[in-house]
Amino acid sequence: MAEAKPREERTGTGVLLMVLAVGFFTCIDSSAKLLILAGLPALQVVFARYFGHFVLAVALFGLRDPSAFRSRAPMKQLLRSLFLLGSTILNFTALQYLPITVTTTIMFAGPIVITLLAVPLLGETVGLRRIVAVCVGFLGVLVVMQPWGADFHPAMFLSLGALCCASCYFVLTRMLSDVEANATQQLWSSGVAAACLAPLVWQGWTWPEGWSWLPFVLIGGFGAAGHIAATVAHRLADASILAPVVYVQIFMAAFSGWALFDTLPTIWTLCGGLIIIGSGLYIWQRERVVRGRVRRPLPVQR
């Protein structure tokens, strides 16, 4: 079986790789929206994303080390892969109806959901301050969704489902971080998704036309590059340092929405995004404080 590489202390490189990963994630969403608006079925776009990812993972890892296909925790790895697949299907379907800035902002609530899931699944203790921050974060999600307003679209529930699936995926990733090598995680997450979708998309297959061939071919590469960069970043820098970097994506999504789809974020999306980001940053800061107390040695009694 493939061995996980040891941690390194190269914070600057880790942060740059995480920014690069976030950029690739924005490219995935932008490519998916372009392809779906061009008439390709959402499931086929998801398949293209994971099949391309799997081909690259095999070329980079599987051919060099066939043992990378073997998992030390196959059931957890399978469940992790299915949660990632579910998140992608729901997110790509939502992108058919919602601006990319809205789906991206809702997904920013991931650290908030992960904080709640960490209690029963990881046995972590969450104090009152972080619980309040979680509630404030969900208030920000409501501001973005505006269930009371005329701009509310039912597809926002798909984004919430994508958020929950993605959060479960990240919790399982945390469980497997010291068990599985990057190669194994890349091969499983992409291979399981491609295998599940292949029989569903084959009969109704629609070939892209004209310019849509470009995002169709590139979307799998964006997925592979983004996940590999994020995994390596977490090996080079602490997760507590990398966590706030994901919020750079709101600027990337806003630029993509303006440049490709001629849409700009609404004032509600911006305000709700600020609330979610503020809540996420507070949770991140509290986790750093709590971990610092746990790691800090007790004073010597003299």
Side-chain angles (χ1 to χ4, degrees):
M1 296 183 184
E3 297 291 337
K5 291 185 178 180
R7 287 289 311 273
E8 299 180 41
E9 293 299 328
R10 295 166 57 188
T11 302
T13 304
V15 170
L16 289 177
L17 281 173
M18 197 63 196
V19 172
L20 187 63
V22 169
F24 282 126
F25 294 153
T26 304
C27 290
I28 293 174
D29 289 348
S30 301
S31 299
K33 189 173 181 68
L34 285 170
L35 290 170
I36 292 172
L37 291 178
L40 270 67
L43 281 183
Q44 185 178 318
V45 176
V46 178
F47 174 76
R49 177 255 181 273
Y50 282 109
F51 181 74
H53 185 167
F54 181 66
V55 170
L56 287 175
V58 170
L60 292 172
F61 306 117
L63 295 180
R64 291 190 305 172
D65 183 9
S67 67
F69 287 95
R70 297 172 58 192
S71 171
R72 290 183 171 84
M75 293 308 297
K76 286 183 179 179
Q77 195 64 260
L78 176 62
L79 190 60
R80 170 183 175 272
S81 302
L82 291 176
F83 274 127
L84 180 60
L85 172 60
S87 175
T88 305
I89 292 174
L90 292 169
N91 185 44
F92 282 12
T93 306
L95 281 168
Q96 186 174 357
Y97 308 100
L98 301 175
I100 190 173
T101 49
V102 172
T103 58
T104 299
T105 304
I106 291 176
M107 293 298 287
F108 279 166
I112 299 167
V113 179
I114 292 171
T115 299
L116 293 178
L117 292 175
V119 176
L121 298 181
L122 299 177
E124 296 183 4
T125 302
V126 178
L128 179 61
R129 294 181 182 180
R130 276 191 281 176
I131 291 176
V132 172
V134 166
C135 295
V136 172
F138 280 118
L139 175 63
V141 174
L142 288 176
V143 171
V144 174
M145 294 178 63
Q146 295 183 76
W148 57 82
D151 293 333
F152 173 77
H153 195 289
M156 291 183 181
F157 288 119
L158 296 175
S159 287
L160 288 178
L163 166 65
C164 293
C165 286
S167 299
C168 292
Y169 161 79
F170 283 116
V171 169
L172 284 165
T173 299
R174 189 182 298 182
M175 289 181 179
L176 293 167
S177 60
D178 57 350
V179 176
E180 297 278 42
N182 178 23
T184 303
Q185 301 212 40
Q186 298 300 325
L187 288 166
W188 273 71
S189 61
S190 58
V192 168
C196 289
L197 291 173
L200 300 178
V201 302
W202 183 250
Q203 290 186 346
W205 186 265
T206 303
W207 289 108
E209 297 179 358
W211 61 264
S212 57
W213 269 104
L214 184 61
F216 184 78
V217 172
L218 292 179
I219 190 171
F222 291 145
H227 282 273
I228 291 172
T231 302
V232 175
H234 281 82
R235 185 171 61 83
L236 302 180
D238 289 341
S240 60
I241 295 176
L242 297 177
V245 177
V246 299
Y247 295 126
V248 174
Q249 191 173 3
I250 188 62
F251 301 104
M252 297 179 178
F255 176 78
S256 174
W258 168 73
L260 298 178
F261 310 108
D262 196 26
T263 59
L264 291 173
T266 66
I267 187 63
W268 293 104
T269 301
L270 292 174
C271 292
L274 288 175
I275 295 173
I276 294 171
I277 291 173
S279 173
L281 289 175
Y282 182 80
I283 291 172
W284 161 73
Q285 178 61 27
R286 288 301 303 170
E287 287 181 349
R288 293 192 67 186
V289 171
V290 170
R291 289 177 183 175
R293 290 173 180 171
V294 172
R295 294 176 182 174
R296 189 179 299 123
L298 294 174
V300 178
Q301 301 295 326
R302 296 184 182 276

